[in-house]
Structure formats: C-alpha cells, structure tokens
Amino acid sequence: MTAPVSSLYKDLPGRLERTTMLVVGDLMLDRYYWGEVRRISPEAPVPVVKVNEKTFSLGGAGNVAANLAGLGCRVFLVGVVGADATAQKISAMLADAHITDHCLVDTRRPTITKTRIMAGKQQVVRLDEESGNDIDPAMAASILESIKPMLSSVGAVVLSDYGKGMFRRIDDVQRIIQACQKAGVPVFVDPKDSDWQRYAGATAVTPNTAELEQVHGACIGDEKSLVDVAGTLRRRLSLDWLLVTRGGRGMALFGDANGPVMIAARTREVFDVSGAGDTVIATLAACVGAGLDVAAAAGVANVAAGIVVAKVGTQPVRMDELVRELADTGQSQPSSTLWKVADPQEAAARLSRWRQADQRIVFTNGCFDLLHPGHVSLLHQARHLGDRLIVGLNTDASIRRLKGESRPILPGEDRAAILSALEDVDMVVFFDEDTPLTLIGQLKPDILVKGADYRIEDVVGRNVVEAYGGQVRLVDILPGHSTTAIARKLSSNGNQPDRGETHGH
C-alpha cells in the first residue's frame, strides 16, 4: 500500500494558518563558531581557531517549533530555561520566528547550549552546557499546569524528547498524555532512549530505524521483521500509530487499518540530515492538527523530509517549498530536481557548505528561454571550470523589461525546472533586476562565466568578482543557436524582432 499525498496541498496552506500547535520539550540553543586554523598553540598542542563568524539556531524542541512556524501554524512552546543570557537569546529568536514563548525558568539549571567550534569543514570540538539532571517534581507540575489551559485551542501537541531531563520520569509524561487525551487533542512523540513505556497512549511515536532497534534490543534486518516489531510495540504501548523513518528507504506507517503504509523516499541530493526528524514530526502533527488523516499527513511529512535534507544545518521547511514539491508529486523529472532552485538565503547556506569542502564556485546567468544546444554547451563548459555551478535566472518581469511583452516564452518555473534537470547545474537562483550584479555580490563566486561573444570589460560583475580575487572567464559559443531565432520560426508571422539574444545572456 502506498501513502496518499493527495490533492489536499491546494488548501493546505490555509488549513495550517488556521491551526494552533503546542510543542513541549527539551529546548536548547545551537551555537556555531566558524573559523580557520593556521597554527598550533604555543601553550598546548592544540589548534588555534581564528573565529570569523558566529551563528545561532534554535535546537531541540525549538527546531520543531520553528518548523511549525515555517509551515504557517500559530505555535506555543513550553520548555525549561535557565536565568541566563542564553535564555534571553532564545526568547528573542522565538519572537523573531513568531513563536509564543511559554518557557519556564529554573534558576538551578543552565539553559541547554551546544557550541560547535568549526575550522573549515571540520568540527574541532563541541561544548555542551547542561545540567544532566531530571527536572524536579515541582517544575514538572508547573509545566503540566501551564499546558492544560492551552489544550482547548490547539490542534495537536508535540512532545520533543531529547533526553535532557524533561521526560525521564514516566509519571510526568503520562500526566501530559492523559491531559491531552481528556481534551481530545492528538499527541505526537519524538522518542529518546529505550524505555518507551512513558509514551504509552500517545497518538503517534516517530522513531528512526536505529531508535526502534534500540527499543527492540536487536537489529531489524528485513521488512517482515520491521512489521512484526512495529506491530508488537504499537499494541504493547497502545499507540494509535507508529511512523518509522528509514533514511533512503523512506518511511513506514503502522496502524490498525489496512496494514502498513510504505512510503518511498524521494530522490534528491542529500546535504545534511540533521533536523530531519524534527521536520517529520512537525509536519505530521501539523497536518493531522489541520484535519488530514494520518496516512495523508505522513505522505506530506515524507515530502517535507526530502526538502530539509537538501538544506544545510537545522533549517525549517517553508510552506512555499512544501506546496511546490507537493504540486509536483507524481509528475516526471521536475519533481526530483526542483530542490536545486534556491532563494538567496538558502543559496547562501548551500554555498557555506560547499566552501567548507573547499569547492570552487562557478556562476553564470541568463534568461534561458527555450533551452537550446548553445545554452547546454555554455553550461557544460562553465561547470568544468569548478566544482559547483550556480545559474542566475532572470525572472519573468526582468525578461519582459529587457525583451518586450512577448517574452518569456516559458514562465520562470518551467525554465528553472529544465535547468535543474541538467546534471551540470547545481543550483538555480532567480534575480529580478535587469542585471545579476546584486546577486553576484551576495554569492561571491570564484569564477564568473560568460560566452565568448562578450568582451571581458563588458561583463556585468567583473569589477566585483576581481576585487575579491575571483576570475572572469569567457567560454566558446556554438554558432547558429538563438532563442530569438527559434521564437521567430515559431511565430505565425515570422516578424518577431531580433533583440540580440544568442545564448540566453
């Protein structure tokens, strides 16, 4: 049986915007120090990291909440923080993400912080600041009392267990689940460790294969064993559903009706799997809270997971990304390659990852309206000048200003899909200006490429690229190929004016 993603995506954004979600769990701050190592300390045989940049992101339950907010939901978050500057930082980040902060302060515990020192692509050391102790019974009681008034207004509750002390005592977790049951609110659990008795009675638990094997106490070698183990565990814990995430093999959903639902993974390049579990449970719970059945919600969660693994770090999925991927589900090539299309923020994140791996970034740009052999030749040559090729693509509005109201022939989504299907292209980024100058300044490619029909001094962005040490390269063009000529041939009157486009630049 396959999982139905269905046509519900058409009104899914509106449904999610009307849905309020509650996240309860271990909240933490992920802090990164990015730098480089050029020497060893004279004080001890350790590398000296010269810090160039600091970045911060919401971790643990905070990342689940950020995913829900990215989907358009109204989000309440309950966690425990210390009375420290890190808690203030988290509070400000929650406000920026439009997440309602209901966190409780425990003066005896520090706010959980994970600091990663990065040198190039290598993590030098990780510093963890946390208590390691369970929250005390009084704090557990306060959490329960803060949750109860919210249950009348939320579509679903997510318990995000990272093993940091909020959910170690069975009674504490059971009281929350029972309060949700009494209010008629579905509760979803992202599990930790091997004792799942505390999750008994939950609507759904969402382990990955390794977590399920830890509970089972042995390796799960084949699909029949998976079905047997999942069924036994679900019945023993009185779970309505068990959703097992299986990496490249997709997901398996177990419930009472119609046997297991096997959900195939969608083919795409994987940049980073961190945070994928948070995305899965956030999307699953949000869709159920918005009125979808669990099987359909799991299908949507599978698509969301495919999006997030193509991002760098723990970045939440945005609703526009999800809708676009759902719209392409079941269609042909574009559905597996549209992840290459990135907005400037996502482009910057991918660039950071590529540069950490010491990869040379190549950039070219154009309209690429009716892709022809001249375009393909240029892109192929450009890609072989470095390790990654980014294509800056004029928006429809930009093309109309440059070439007239009759252009583009193909809309931007189609042009981006065709470019994304090319093996030589690693990323496509739209720009709305007449030239890509601003985009070049943002991306700072190592090599800027144009066709040999240009002169070096006329290449837009040459001064910017050369100023930071980059190069401008001209590559051969195939004569006799022109989008305008093709358009003229297609035109009924054959009189479409030539505006000088040869290779989409």
Side-chain angles (χ1 to χ4, degrees), residues 147 151 157 159 175-187:
I147 289 170
L151 295 179
V157 173
L159 303 186
R175 289 187 185 102
I176 295 175
I177 292 175
Q178 290 162 12
C180 293
Q181 291 173 334
K182 185 176 180 180
V185 178
V187 56

Side-chain angles (χ1 to χ4, degrees), residues 1-76:
M1 179 178 176
T2 57
V5 173
S6 86
S7 60
L8 286 170
Y9 73 86
K10 292 181 179 179
D11 63 350
L12 188 58
R15 285 177 177 232
L16 293 176
E17 286 177 1
R18 296 188 295 272
T19 300
T20 301
M21 300 291 294
L22 170 59
V23 179
V24 185
D26 295 307
L27 176 62
M28 60 193 74
L29 179 69
D30 287 333
R31 179 166 51 199
Y32 292 83
Y33 289 174
W34 303 92
E36 55 188 343
V37 173
R38 293 184 177 177
R39 64 191 180 94
I40 300 298
S41 172
E43 302 167 0
V46 295
V48 175
V49 180
K50 180 180 179 297
V51 176
N52 298 322
E53 185 182 7
K54 299 178 185 179
T55 60
F56 305 86
S57 60
L58 295 168
N63 189 48
V64 177
N67 273 275
L68 289 165
L71 293 174
C73 299
R74 184 185 180 193
V75 187
F76 301 148

Side-chain angles (χ1 to χ4, degrees), residues 49-272:
V49 180
K50 180 180 179 297
V51 176
N52 298 322
E53 185 182 7
K54 299 178 185 179
T55 60
F56 305 86
S57 60
L58 295 168
N63 189 48
V64 177
N67 273 275
L68 289 165
L71 293 174
C73 299
R74 184 185 180 193
V75 187
F76 301 148
L77 174 62
V78 175
V80 177
V81 297
D84 49 35
T86 302
Q88 296 173 10
K89 175 68 174 178
I90 286 178
S91 180
M93 294 174 69
L94 292 174
D96 288 342
H98 305 291
I99 298 167
T100 304
D101 182 358
H102 289 285
C103 293
L104 287 75
V105 176
D106 187 338
T107 57
R108 293 162 297 182
R109 302 167 66 92
T111 303
I112 302 170
T113 309
K114 297 182 183 298
T115 302
R116 296 167 178 87
I117 311 299
M118 309 294 295
K121 61 181 179 179
Q122 183 68 43
Q123 184 176 148
V124 177
V125 67
R126 193 179 91 178
L127 312 176
D128 287 7
E129 300 168 66
E130 59 186 73
S131 165
N133 299 321
D134 297 350
I135 58 171
D136 62 36
M139 178 59 70
S142 297
I143 290 171
L144 180 62
E145 291 308 308
S146 69
I147 289 170
K148 285 180 178 178
M150 304 179 205
L151 295 179
S152 61
S153 61
V154 302
V157 173
V158 177
L159 303 186
S160 183
D161 188 354
Y162 272 77
K164 301 300 182 183
M166 276 193 68
F167 299 126
R168 287 208 186 103
R169 284 192 298 269
I170 291 178
D171 289 349
D172 293 344
V173 186
Q174 280 297 294
R175 289 187 185 102
I176 295 175
I177 292 175
Q178 290 162 12
C180 293
Q181 291 173 334
K182 185 176 180 180
V185 178
V187 56
F188 297 79
V189 180
D190 189 0
K192 192 71 174 178
D193 301 325
S194 59
D195 181 9
W196 286 11
Q197 193 60 45
R198 58 188 182 271
Y199 309 137
T203 304
V205 177
T206 61
N208 58 36
T209 302
E211 290 166 337
L212 187 63
E213 289 177 338
Q214 184 180 10
V215 175
H216 176 54
C219 179
I220 301 173
D222 54 35
E223 200 161 281
K224 182 181 183 304
S225 298
L226 174 64
V227 172
D228 292 343
V229 170
T232 299
L233 186 64
R234 190 183 64 79
R235 288 188 294 272
R236 176 162 61 85
L237 298 178
S238 301
L239 305 174
D240 293 334
W241 299 91
L242 184 70
L243 178 65
V244 183
T245 56
R246 308 171 69 203
R249 290 183 288 179
M251 301 179 181
L253 178 66
F254 300 91
D256 277 332
N258 302 319
V261 180
M262 297 300 176
I263 310 168
R266 304 190 74 192
T267 303
R268 63 174 61 244
E269 182 175 357
V270 175
F271 285 83
D272 194 339

